[in-house]
Amino acid sequence: MAVDPRWPVALVRGAVPVALGLLLWVAMAGGEQDRQHTLKAQPGADAASLTQRRRHNELIMAALREAAETDDNVAQRRVPWRK
């Protein structure tokens, strides 16, 4: 039973993109710790700012949820919304 001579070429052609992808992934993963450190050092990354941002996002999501559930034009309401 002879091996088709095209098999080694096909294997190499299939392995090259996989190897390149693996090398690129390793290169990018190496800088991940530096990126995480840079993100933590940015202003607004402290606990108080994150809590305030979460609360703001919760209020926006509540407004969007209410707007989706009603047929009223919520854009015309006064700024301090009353439920």
Side-chain angles (χ1 to χ4, degrees):
M1 186 162 147
V3 176
D4 190 2
R6 292 180 293 179
W7 270 102
V9 175
L11 287 175
V12 168
R13 285 185 179 172
V16 167
V18 172
L20 286 175
L22 182 61
L23 288 173
L24 287 173
W25 181 76
V26 167
M28 295 301 291
E32 182 68 16
Q33 289 178 348
D34 294 336
R35 189 180 71 84
Q36 291 292 333
H37 181 66
T38 303
L39 288 175
K40 287 181 182 178
Q42 286 184 343
D46 58 312
S49 295
L50 291 175
T51 303
Q52 182 180 5
R53 196 174 317 141
R54 278 193 196 100
R55 177 67 180 141
H56 183 257
N57 288 343
E58 288 173 6
L59 291 174
I60 290 174
M61 289 305 295
L64 289 173
R65 194 175 300 111
E66 181 181 352
E69 293 173 353
T70 185
D71 291 333
D72 297 340
N73 186 354
V74 295
Q76 299 298 324
R77 290 188 183 173
R78 300 180 67 82
V79 174
W81 286 22
R82 303 270 186 229
K83 288 192 173 185

